[in-house]
Amino acid sequence: MSKFYPVAVPAFLGNEKKYVNNCIDSSWISSNGEYINLFESAFAEFNDIKYALTCCNGTVALHLALMAMGVQTGDEVIVPSFTYIATANAVRYCGAKPVFADCLSDTWNLDPADFERKITPRTKCVIPVHLYGNPCDMRSIADIARKHNILILEDAAESHGAAYDGKKVGTLSDIGVFSFFGNKIITTGEGGMIVTDNDNYADLMKRLKGQGMDPNRRYWFNMIGYNYRMTNIEAAIGLAQLENIDEHIQKRRNVAEIYIHELEQYQDYITFQKTTRNAENVWWMFSLLLNKPFKLSRDELMLRLHEDNIETRPLFYPMHVMPPYEDKTAQCPVSEDIASRGVNLPTHGMLSKDDIKYICRKLIKYIK
Ligand SMILES: *Cc1c(COP(=O)(O)O)cnc(C)c1O
């Protein structure tokens, strides 16, 4: 059988097995253990920020951050319509209402002008999402948020190590969150991390993720909390992944560079996601939009590539068209357009130059 090309494959380049075995040999397999502390402090250092808190996935990280910010029933939170559904769901978990803003047609990230348009007296927070590894225009977003007294929570679930104005994403606002799902830039299987410089937020999120236990009195609970903890085994994998994060990112950048080199002459037919000004993209997913003259529809292309053993994914459906969040008045035409004609191509560190050339050769066959 010929080779299959999945969209995403995790890469284990270092101490993953060794550290996991240490957990089992030492019997520290649950949510206490040295790897939790080591992973948190290494992640804080990598991002040059005071606090990094592990939790059991990226969705939970968003929920903890919103709770720490005091988001509750009656509040509105502005969320890009063009994102993964977890961003909107976490807002709902707090009883608040996600209000969808459109994205920009070049970077596919939150449109600052539409964010400002959708502010009401009930807007408490905005969640810019650094989509597919590409940082948002944080300067414009922060200016507007400051002017209207709105908190910023960065959803950096797809963009570990990406930077804007020389600072790592996730650290450009009040709180930032990351995911370590199996297909992300680095992985722990399932897992999440929250970063902040704010003492009060960090303290509250630590309590909330551990059932609300009083840090100074064991088994005394003074609030309703959650069990949102990461295990030591997951942290062991995370620490090993983080030790090689520069290499993980460099491999993705090489993949994107080769795709661009192979495909740039076809820009009448396809459009690439543009990296934001002053930003360093980590290319979680390399993606294309199919333009009018492209011979096949997006869905036909995906089927054909599948027959060539190449997996692709449609870009995210806009939030405001799906049943839980359907809103015919949302007005996010750019999100609808991009979602309808975009695909993610295989993007991960295990792809060789020949693999990418094969994928491009097949794709080019269907262009005209
Ligand atoms: C993956 C992802 C999440 C959620 O992370 P999980 O670890 O899967 O819960 C949130 N937001 C975005 C943009 C994501 O891509």
Side-chain angles (χ1 to χ4, degrees), residues 56-62 83-87 129-132 155-158 177-184 189-192 284 313 316:
C56 52
N57 59 58
T59 309
V60 151
L62 287 164
T83 182
Y84 180 57
I85 196 156
T87 323
V129 181
H130 306 295
L131 207 75
Y132 301 132
D155 184 341
E158 306 175 352
V177 302
F178 297 85
S179 164
F180 303 114
F181 185 67
N183 64 9
K184 300 286 161 96
E190 293 274 6
W284 178 52
R313 276 181 15 178
F316 295 127

